[in-house]
């Protein structure tokens, strides 16, 4: 499918599952801890610095935010998890929204699960992989903030990651930098190919 990622617009903000827009379009979901770079990735994919709000304060997003891409797909930006600075109650509220999103019966074409390339996986990351593997959810693993490494450092870290995660041989793994626009075209192409 030819997708013009630049033709992107804000579609809806849903604080509860009932507020999520009805749509027949394929839906791509961004998941990952707060501050991992979800909003920045949306901006990089759409080449629009202002589309998704980039936050310096983890845990601020309390809603699922939907973007329409070229009238051909929806991107859902889930509330992240792992917020150091919010209350236990807020944490529960955010994660139950994310949970109910996955169990609501929405047709999810693809999850982009983001992890900071410098960090090791959290319990939530592992739980998310288990969930997706068990429920046959199609996902791409996206390592963010790759600009934090030199080219040699990045290769070394990717080798380490292969040992830590024990990914399937055919796993879809991407290393990106939204800041430096590294790996973004590859990710766009893989998304378009999947939705063909
Ligand atoms: N160096 C670097 N910083 C990034 C990158 N992507 C996001 N960030 C920074 O990480 C922080 C969190 O980004 P944001 O997109 O708001 O994360 P979100 O909470 O997952 O939506 C911000 O300070 C961003 O500027 C990247 O590719 N490289
Ligand atoms: Mg965000």
């Amino acid at each position: 499918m030819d997708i013009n990622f630049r033709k992107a617009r804000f579609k809806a903000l849903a604080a509860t599952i009932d507020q999520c827009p009805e749509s027949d379009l394929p839906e791509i979901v961004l998941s990952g801890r707060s501050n991992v770079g979800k909003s920045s990735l949306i901006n990089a994919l759409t080449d629009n610095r202002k589309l998704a709000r980039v936050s310096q304060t983890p845990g601020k997003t309390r809603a699922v935010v939907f973007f329409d891409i070229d009238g051909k797909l929806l991107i859902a930006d889930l509330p992240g998890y792992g917020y150091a600075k919010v209350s236990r109650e807020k944490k529960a509220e955010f994660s139950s929204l994310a949970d109910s999103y996955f169990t609501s019966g929405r047709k999810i074409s693809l999850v982009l699960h983001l992890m900071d390339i410098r960090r090791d996986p959290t319990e939530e990351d592992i739980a998310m992989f288990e969930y997706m593997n068990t429920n046959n959810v199609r996902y791409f693993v996206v390592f963010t903030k790759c600009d934090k490494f030199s080219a040699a450092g990045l290769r070394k870290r990717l080798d380490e990651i292969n040992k830590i995660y024990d990914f399937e041989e055919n796993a879809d793994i991407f290393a990106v930098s939204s800041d430096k626009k590294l790996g973004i075209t590859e990710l766009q192409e893989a998304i378009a190919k999947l939705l063909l």
Side-chain angles (χ1 to χ4, degrees):
M1 190 194 295
D2 240 10
I3 301 168
N4 183 353
F5 282 86
R6 287 204 166 120
K7 272 177 76 185
R9 60 182 181 80
F10 170 82
K11 167 116 178 155
L13 188 138
T16 64
I17 201 72
D18 306 331
Q19 292 171 1
C20 293
E22 277 182 42
S23 167
D24 295 329
L25 295 177
E27 199 157 299
I28 297 185
V29 183
L30 270 78
S31 85
R33 62 180 296 142
S34 191
N35 227 33
V36 70
K38 295 183 295 299
S39 301
S40 303
L41 182 62
I42 291 173
N43 289 347
L45 284 169
T46 58
D47 197 22
N48 183 335
R49 282 166 180 279
K50 292 182 188 153
L51 189 65
R53 238 181 69 240
V54 173
S55 165
Q56 301 282 356
T57 322
K60 274 283 162 85
T61 316
R62 285 135 214 256
V64 186
V65 187
F66 291 87
F67 301 93
D68 175 295
I69 310 295
D70 200 13
K72 291 177 180 163
L73 65 108
L74 288 186
I75 293 185
D77 187 4
L78 283 193
Y81 46 75
Y83 331 86
K85 288 186 185 132
V86 299
S87 69
R88 192 179 290 269
E89 292 74 39
K90 275 280 168 248
K91 277 188 196 179
E93 191 184 300
F94 293 165
S95 75
S96 80
L97 178 58
D99 286 351
S100 55
Y101 179 84
F102 277 104
T103 51
S104 64
R106 292 183 78 80
K107 201 182 117 249
I108 297 165
S109 297
L110 174 68
V111 174
L112 303 183
H113 186 72
L114 276 58
M115 287 180 290
D116 187 323
I117 188 143
R118 297 166 298 174
R119 299 192 183 204
D120 287 339
T122 63
E123 271 175 41
E124 288 100 332
D125 292 322
I126 309 274
M128 190 65 197
F129 286 127
E130 276 172 11
Y131 174 82
M132 294 189 293
N133 288 331
T134 312
N135 293 283
N136 289 318
V137 178
R138 190 79 162 83
Y139 63 90
F140 290 175
V141 182
V142 181
F143 288 103
T144 62
K145 309 192 186 183
C146 291
D147 55 278
K148 297 284 186 181
F149 285 108
S150 65
L154 182 61
R155 275 195 299 277
K156 187 161 160 276
R157 179 63 183 151
L158 286 169
D159 283 344
E160 272 172 28
I161 280 172
N162 264 318
K163 293 190 186 109
I164 299 170
Y165 287 88
D166 195 25
F167 285 124
E168 304 262 328
E169 207 160 309
N170 59 353
D172 291 290
I173 298 166
F174 296 83
V176 306
S177 162
S178 298
D179 274 18
K180 297 277 185 290
K181 290 280 179 85
L182 301 172
I184 300 298
T185 311
E186 288 84 346
L187 187 53
Q188 288 172 331
E189 285 171 359
I191 290 170
K193 196 170 164 218
L194 182 85
L195 300 182
L196 211 74

